[in-house]
Amino acid sequence: MKQLLLDVLAAPAPSLENYVAGPNVEALATLRALEPGRAVYLWGPAGCGRTHLLRALSDRPGAVYLDSHSPVSAYRRAAQPEESDVRPALIAIDDLHLLDEPRLACVFSLYNRWRETSATDIALSLIVAGERAPGQLEIREDLRTRLGWDLVFRLEVLSDAEKTDALIRQAASRGLQLAPEVVNWILTHYERDMRQLAALLDALDRYSLAAKRPITLPLLRAMLAEQPQPSTIQSYSSLS
């Protein structure tokens, strides 16, 4: 069963469908209906799903995802494409607060390009994300102003009650019933990112089928004891 766990514990790819919106329903609805020529700035603390949403939006033809690890050359191509370059229809820039000056300068130019083309047939969608509201970012003033040119949404982290509800609903959609002690243990010990929680739920489902046992806390303990990569679990040294 160890190979089984290796196969299923990887989190599913980010998508708008597997993003648990919680209090962020309006932001999610806006992104679902996003049209060329719109710009959106998303901000919120770690764990609110900024990267999930940007990865989901950029996982489509004609989209580009950039973050602090992307080369400056990629930022320059996005901001000032050559005539021969394929022009992406959507550009997503993650972790704005981590970008250095050369990359921020490209983001500034990219906003100018977005505005100049927003009413043309080569309009693009621009999605930028950071951990703070525009006015709280320690970046150049002219770029800070541009972040508010169109739509701005604050993303909130899901509460434990919302995560519990989402976990129970996801289990129910698979025809599974999770005992309260199983849900409580998962939220206490396991990585609380919803994609990771969904991956664990998939693993539990397959493991219970392979073991021909219902999902219980002892079954969860047995599965995690066979996990060959314990670093993916926050803590399960204490199973009490």
Side-chain angles (χ1 to χ4, degrees):
M1 293 186 184
K2 289 186 177 182
Q3 185 57 49
L4 171 70
L5 292 173
L6 282 172
D7 291 341
V8 301
L9 274 181
S15 70
L16 296 183
E17 287 67 35
N18 63 24
Y19 178 75
V20 180
N24 305 315
V25 173
E26 184 180 357
L28 180 60
T30 298
L31 295 177
R32 286 186 184 279
L34 194 66
E35 297 179 350
R38 302 309 304 262
V40 181
Y41 178 69
L42 304 173
W43 68 276
C48 67
R50 300 188 313 257
T51 296
H52 182 119
L53 291 171
L54 266 63
R55 285 288 190 185
L57 289 167
S58 57
D59 187 24
R60 60 182 66 176
V64 170
Y65 174 90
L66 301 170
D67 61 12
S68 61
H69 302 291
S70 303
V72 176
S73 59
Y75 279 84
R76 289 173 178 156
R77 285 197 303 273
Q80 298 177 329
E82 300 289 340
E83 288 295 329
S84 59
D85 289 342
V86 176
R87 298 179 180 234
L90 182 147
I91 298 176
I93 299 176
D94 204 0
D95 290 335
L96 184 74
H97 54 285
L98 298 180
L99 301 188
D100 58 13
E101 285 303 321
R103 289 172 175 81
L104 289 174
C106 291
V107 177
F108 172 81
S109 298
L110 185 54
Y111 265 96
N112 291 339
R113 181 189 152 211
W114 163 78
R115 193 167 204 177
E116 291 168 0
T117 63
S118 60
T120 72
D121 57 0
I122 58 171
L124 61 90
S125 300
L126 180 59
I127 317 296
V128 182
E131 69 176 2
R132 298 178 183 177
Q136 298 174 338
L137 288 168
E138 297 179 358
I139 59 174
R140 46 192 290 182
E141 180 62 28
D142 51 5
L143 175 55
R144 184 185 297 117
T145 301
R146 280 161 172 74
L147 296 178
W149 270 358
D150 202 359
L151 302 173
V152 177
F153 290 98
R154 175 177 179 173
L155 300 180
E156 304 286 352
V157 177
L158 295 181
S159 67
D160 283 353
E162 288 166 334
K163 289 180 180 179
T164 297
D165 181 64
L167 198 59
I168 292 174
R169 284 191 287 107
Q170 288 189 20
S173 70
R174 296 168 169 83
L176 305 174
Q177 287 188 337
L178 296 182
E181 61 267 23
V182 173
V183 175
N184 291 338
W185 192 94
I186 289 174
L187 291 177
T188 301
H189 294 80
Y190 195 74
E191 181 68 47
R192 293 191 174 196
D193 176 86
M194 284 308 303
R195 288 195 305 126
Q196 294 290 346
L197 290 174
L200 178 63
L201 197 59
D202 285 338
L204 270 171
D205 187 11
R206 298 192 190 189
Y207 192 87
S208 68
L209 290 174
K212 298 181 180 179
R213 294 168 54 190
I215 295 178
T216 61
L217 193 52
L219 183 80
L220 174 59
R221 292 171 177 170
M223 186 188 77
L224 294 179
E226 294 189 17
Q227 168 58 262
Q229 294 182 344
S231 61
T232 61
I233 309 297
Q234 277 191 336
S235 171
Y236 57 85
S237 57
S238 173
L239 299 174
S240 59

